[in-house]
Amino acid sequence: ALHVTMKLSIATLILLFSTFCFGGSMEQGKAESQQLMDAVLPLAEQLLAQHGEFFPYGGAMTPSGEIVSVAAYDGDEHPPSSEVISMLQQAFISAAQSGEYKATALVYDVRVPLPETGEKSDAIAIALDHESGYSVVVLLPYQLTEQELRFGNIFAQAGDNGVFK
């Protein structure tokens, strides 16, 4: 039941955030971003549940609609997350410029103030960018105890549209 509620609220959020977008086919951009997010999010949930953490990773949608995994590696076994995020961002930008992707998702761990309380929480962040100009960062707060992984209320903010310039 958790996943069903989550998907409903994600869809609602993505609809709300259409006001931040312009040009292109926004409906298609939102739908494809939703599809990409549904494909990449389970890995973060699984890694958190099994290991209590995860390194940033990415996913992308090709022009044909295929979803592919995107990883960054520079030879360092434990690179700082900020470097991995930066490498993934650069890979997305160059692939977007050459027409390899029509949507990208960058998944990483953050600490964010919760909209309800302002209290800081760990969260899975999914930065979604689409060639239509649709750009949003979806945040899924979580609490990890020795017994379980619990998710809070999902929320979103406008993305910086940094991939498809």
Side-chain angles (χ1 to χ4, degrees), residues 12 15-17 35 40 46 52 56 61 73 99 135 140 161 164:
T12 310
L15 290 173
L16 287 174
F17 270 81
Q35 193 184 343
V40 298
Q46 182 187 339
M61 184 178 283
Y73 182 65
S135 183
L140 178 56
N161 215 349
F164 299 89

Side-chain angles (χ1 to χ4, degrees), residues 75-140:
D76 185 346
E77 281 300 307
H78 298 287
S81 288
S82 58
E83 280 181 28
V84 178
I85 290 170
S86 178
M87 284 189 286
L88 285 165
Q89 199 68 355
Q90 288 311 309
F92 283 160
I93 290 167
S94 73
Q97 286 169 345
S98 62
E100 288 173 59
Y101 302 147
K102 64 177 172 178
T104 61
L106 179 56
V107 187
Y108 53 99
D109 208 357
V110 290
R111 281 194 63 76
V112 292
L114 297 173
E116 309 94 61
T117 62
E119 199 178 304
K120 288 244 179 190
S121 170
D122 290 315
I124 298 171
I126 306 110
L128 297 161
D129 284 283
H130 191 274
E131 65 185 2
S132 65
Y134 183 77
S135 183
V136 66
V137 179
V138 177
L139 295 147
L140 178 56

Side-chain angles (χ1 to χ4, degrees), residues 51-65:
H51 305 288
E53 64 178 0
F54 66 94
F55 276 109
Y57 64 92
M61 184 178 283
T62 66
S64 68

Side-chain angles (χ1 to χ4, degrees), residues 11-33:
T12 310
L13 273 175
I14 286 182
L15 290 173
L16 287 174
F17 270 81
S18 58
T19 54
F20 288 97
C21 310
F22 48 88
S25 164
M26 266 320 125
E27 285 308 310
Q28 187 181 353
K30 283 186 295 195
E32 289 175 343
S33 295

